Amino acid sequence: MRKLIITVAPTGSLTTKEQLPWIPITPREIADSALEANKAGAAVVHIHVRDPKTGKAIQDRELYKETIEYIRAESDMIICTTTGGGATSGVGPMGRLVSLELKPEIASLNCGSMNFGKAIFQNPPDLIETFATKMKEVGVKAELEAYEVGHIANVQEILNLLEPPLRFNFVMGVNGGIPATIENLLLMRDTVCKLYGPKSLWMVTAIGRFETPLCAHAILLGGDLRVGFEDNIYYSRGIKAKSNAQLVERMVRIAGDIGREIATAEEARKILHLK
Ligand code: ZN
């Protein structure tokens, strides 16, 4: 089995200081947490930025720039920025693309609309196409975010804008998206294989207590995985994780016990066909 690509999502846009006092907020904090996770085995960092004053999600070019520069100064980590996280920050749809100017190697591309907790996460077909077109123009690989199985099918509409291998991220266990069960993970994986062929790549992001069991299955099935405070703040029942690195370390340990090696950033670039 090929090596495992671990992505860390250090902060996201929803976790608050009240929930987790040590959630990284400033560019320096986000970068430090990513770098620590990189040392633990994460090859990719999925970046959101926060307003340093309020801690709230924001889409701000300078904050992305600062965060990315800190990470690049001390590592060769693959940078993946969000184009979904600004959905709640009032920037409007095109404001979600602000990080693309900074040439991350990967950016998330949300492949459908859905209820998201109490909100509506709007990604209508024309917006998906516009985002995919922009990513192709600037040479950023799209990570295809699928929160349910229909989102995987939606990718057929933008296939001409994507470079192989396709890279899906199954985000499972969001209120409003597909429940995080093993059966559903297999369904998502099989749907990708049927529609886009077995060479397509996939990873799993599972929310809260589902993170560890679903990521362990991804390791066994030959997929990749994401962990971090964006998705889960607990290490075990009632006990909060000390750091993003701690969540990465557990995955490295499980993969090691199963006999699956971890990809470095350089090895991950080859697997993902990044230039
Ligand atoms: Zn995100």
Side-chain angles (χ1 to χ4, degrees), residues 161-209:
L161 297 168
L162 303 172
E163 300 277 342
L166 301 187
R167 158 90 151 166
F168 286 87
N169 179 19
F170 306 149
V171 186
M172 304 181 66
V174 169
N175 282 336
I178 196 165
T181 67
I182 307 305
E183 292 79 3
N184 284 343
L185 174 60
L186 295 171
L187 173 68
M188 300 284 269
R189 192 266 321 251
D190 290 347
T191 305
V192 163
C193 286
K194 260 182 221 148
L195 293 179
Y196 309 107
K199 287 198 172 144
S200 304
L201 303 172
W202 59 271
M203 60 190 271
V204 68
T205 295
I207 305 303
R209 68 184 189 277

Side-chain angles (χ1 to χ4, degrees), residues 93-105:
M94 297 317 284
R96 288 161 51 182
L97 293 179
V98 71
S99 66
L100 292 191
E101 297 163 29
L102 302 164
K103 299 224 181 283
E105 286 169 272

Side-chain angles (χ1 to χ4, degrees), residues 9 12-13 46-48 81-85 108 145 147 226 230-231:
S13 53
H46 170 71
I47 302 178
H48 291 237
T81 57
T82 180
T83 67
S108 62
E145 315 292 305
Y147 293 77
R226 177 174 108 183
E230 173 165 350
D231 313 309

